[in-house]
């Protein structure tokens, strides 16, 4: 009798859950998901948790296939030679194949005072602590959000819609991803909510104190609560395990998402750097990357040749307060266009993405192999060739 093949997925976010569910297509594959929390964190709802308007926790049994074994623990080291994962509690888990999907978190700010006085919100625990702080902070007190990417905009808009006084420190410009024409629409909507936008030369936070944020041009902004959303980082598990990473610490892979060090290790989600040209960190790319990682493993188990990624984008939809959102449309290689969808339709797109991501995971749990992604970036190969020619 043939022994089951053991596949371990490290990380239970969007990419990790999608990969774990998809692997259950084969009856001879045993799937183990290692995650530090007993529940799934719906990260694109964290701004609602912070604002007190929604929850960001989903039970794993609502989205995880019954055949997937959940181990609630933190992976401390991967032993590629011995094919084991060491756990923080002292145990180990053996694998035949491993999917590395540890995700991303808050970047450690190198700005004086930020670590002591600013609040992050990239994780569930950070967001819960921030919510507790805001619950005891008078509405009239100024909340300063440092970092004007999607997360910064969403939490600033959410809090302003609740009637709070909010200042948004952009650095240079409001959400650099946006097309200039669409950026003006975002600024107009934020201003209508009452958000004070600080941008342009000198609008970079250089220090944070208990009650203020200092900017590069010398301005001092009053701030009772400072929220730091500038940048993300990935866990250093790959580095600690002696695996090759890019400069940001993402696992370096080929175009099939296979580690350049070991064809038994495959990466997915924010922590993957295929060909040192990673996709934008986002839930939009996480599900298809998780599915592709699982397909790569399943192909290797079957003795086949894994396919290369061609995952494209449609843009980015950003919440702009209660029941409002704008979708910045982009090319499939993720370049923003001068077109966006707002109003009722924009809100509908955002609402459907909030529920759709969970529905995709749940559907894959019950029908492994069913998830498909219709947006393909067929120009990626040409861009890789151009980079190689430099």
């Amino acid at each position: 009798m043939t022994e089951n093949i053991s596949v371990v997925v490290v990380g239970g976010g969007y990419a990790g859950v999608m990969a774990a569910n998809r692997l259950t297509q084969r009856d001879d594959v045993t799937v183990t998901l290692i995650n530090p929390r007993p529940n799934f964190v719906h990260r694109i709802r964290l701004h609602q948790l912070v604002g007190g308007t929604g929850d960001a926790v989903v039970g794993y049994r609502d989205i995880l296939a019954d055949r997937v074994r959940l181990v609630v623990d933190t992976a401390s080291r991967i032993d590629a030679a011995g094919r084991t994962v060491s756990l923080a509690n002292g145990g180990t888990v053996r694998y035949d194949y491993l999917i590395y999907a540890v995700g991303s978190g808050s970047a450690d700010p190198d700005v004086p005072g930020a670590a002591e006085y600013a609040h992050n919100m990239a994780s569930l625990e950070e967001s819960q602590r921030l919510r507790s702080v805001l619950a005891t902070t008078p509405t009239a007190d100024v909340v300063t959000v440092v970092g004007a990417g999607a997360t910064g905009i969403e939490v600033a808009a959410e809090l302003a819609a609740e009637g709070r006084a909010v200042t948004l420190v952009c650095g240079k410009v409001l959400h650099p991803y946006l097309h200039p024409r669409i950026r003006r629409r975002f600024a107009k909507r934020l201003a209508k909510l009452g958000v004070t936008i600080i941008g342009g030369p000198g609008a970079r936070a250089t220090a944070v104190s208990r009650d203020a944020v200092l900017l590069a041009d010398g301005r001092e902004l009053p701030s009772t609560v400072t929220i730091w959303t500038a940048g993300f980082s990935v866990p250093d598990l790959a580095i600690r395990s002696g695996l090759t990473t890019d400069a940001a610490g993402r696992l370096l892979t080929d175009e099939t998402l296979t580690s350049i060090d070991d064809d038994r290790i495959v990466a997915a989600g924010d922590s993957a750097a295929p060909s040192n040209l990673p996709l934008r960190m986002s839930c939009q790319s996480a599900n298809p990357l998780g599915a592709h990682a699982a397909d790569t493993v399943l192909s290797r188990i079957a003795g086949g040749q894994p396919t290369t990624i061609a995952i494209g984008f449609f843009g980015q939809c950003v919440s702009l307060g209660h029941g409002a959102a704008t979708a910045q449309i982009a090319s499939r290689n993720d370049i923003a266009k001068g077109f966006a969808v707002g109003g009722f339709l924009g809100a509908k797109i955002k609402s459907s993405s909030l529920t759709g991501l969970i529905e995709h995971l749940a559907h894959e749990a019950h029908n492994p192999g069913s998830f498909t992604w219709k947006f393909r970036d067929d120009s990626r190969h040409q861009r890789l060739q151009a980079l190689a020619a430099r």
Side-chain angles (χ1 to χ4, degrees):
M1 183 174 179
T2 304
E3 185 178 350
N4 274 12
I5 299 163
S6 174
V7 183
V8 170
V9 181
V10 182
Y14 301 107
V17 172
M18 175 59 74
N21 288 341
R22 200 171 184 88
L23 288 165
T24 62
Q25 291 176 75
R26 287 185 63 121
D27 293 335
D28 61 348
V29 170
T30 300
V31 186
T32 300
L33 178 67
I34 300 172
N35 193 69
R37 302 178 190 86
N39 293 302
F40 177 84
V41 180
H42 198 2
R43 283 184 62 176
I44 61 173
R45 283 194 182 271
L46 286 176
H47 66 284
Q48 295 177 335
L49 189 157
V50 169
T53 59
D55 195 7
V57 175
V58 178
Y60 269 120
R61 285 307 147 200
D62 292 332
I63 58 171
L64 200 60
D66 291 339
R67 284 184 49 213
V68 177
R69 180 172 73 106
L70 176 64
V71 174
V72 181
D73 207 329
T74 299
S76 57
R77 187 176 183 277
I78 298 166
D79 180 357
R83 294 184 193 164
T84 59
V85 179
S86 298
L87 303 177
N89 72 1
T92 60
V93 180
R94 189 196 69 80
Y95 68 84
D96 295 303
Y97 291 90
L98 180 142
I99 293 182
Y100 186 85
V102 295
S104 61
S106 301
D108 292 330
D110 57 1
V111 170
E116 294 83 1
Y117 301 113
H119 300 269
N120 294 316
M121 54 168 291
S123 73
L124 176 64
E125 293 77 14
E126 290 168 340
S127 296
Q128 289 171 332
R129 286 194 292 270
L130 175 55
R131 178 60 203 153
S132 297
V133 170
L134 289 169
T136 59
T137 301
T139 303
D141 287 11
V142 178
V143 176
T144 301
V145 180
V146 179
T151 302
I153 290 173
E154 289 191 327
V155 73
E158 195 74 17
L159 295 175
E162 289 289 306
R164 289 191 176 275
V166 180
T167 299
L168 181 60
V169 178
C170 300
K172 293 182 180 179
V173 298
L174 179 72
H175 201 353
Y177 175 81
L178 300 174
H179 186 280
R181 184 186 306 162
I182 310 307
R183 185 175 297 119
R184 291 190 290 271
R185 288 177 57 175
F186 272 69
K188 185 176 180 180
R189 168 63 182 172
L190 289 167
K192 186 176 181 180
L193 287 170
V195 177
T196 300
I197 300 174
I198 307 295
R204 178 175 57 85
T206 56
V208 179
S209 67
R210 189 181 303 276
D211 56 7
V213 174
L214 183 67
L215 301 183
D217 60 10
R219 282 179 289 175
E220 187 172 273
L221 307 176
S223 180
T224 301
V225 178
T226 300
I227 303 174
W228 196 275
T229 69
F232 287 91
S233 65
V234 298
D236 64 351
L237 176 61
I239 295 173
R240 284 187 280 113
S241 301
L243 298 169
T244 303
T245 68
D246 70 356
R250 290 171 286 217
L251 187 67
L252 196 59
T253 75
D254 64 14
E255 286 294 283
T256 71
L257 301 179
T258 303
S259 166
I260 65 170
D261 300 312
D262 190 331
D263 62 8
R264 297 285 182 135
I265 298 176
V266 178
D270 290 353
S271 54
S275 303
N276 211 15
L277 186 66
L279 282 71
R280 170 165 54 91
M281 289 184 177
S282 67
C283 60
Q284 188 177 154
S285 62
N287 274 3
L289 282 170
H292 195 101
D295 289 347
T296 291
V297 171
L298 291 171
S299 178
R300 292 196 185 282
I301 291 172
Q305 177 59 44
T307 60
T308 59
I309 58 170
I311 297 166
F313 290 80
F314 64 81
Q316 186 179 76
C317 194
V318 181
S319 293
L320 291 168
H322 305 165
T326 295
Q328 162 72 76
I329 306 303
S331 61
R332 296 198 175 194
N333 64 347
D334 208 26
I335 298 175
K337 298 181 178 181
F339 177 69
V341 178
F344 173 79
L345 185 54
K348 191 74 174 176
I349 293 171
K350 184 63 177 181
S351 177
S352 66
S353 72
L354 291 172
T355 57
L357 279 165
I358 299 302
E359 289 171 354
H360 288 155
L361 296 176
H363 192 261
E364 188 72 14
H366 294 99
N367 302 277
S370 61
F371 176 79
T372 59
W373 184 248
K374 64 182 179 180
F375 297 94
R376 287 179 54 89
D377 175 17
D378 293 318
S379 69
R380 181 176 173 86
H381 181 66
Q382 285 74 30
R383 286 184 285 131
L384 287 170
Q385 286 184 320
L387 288 172
R390 289 181 181 177

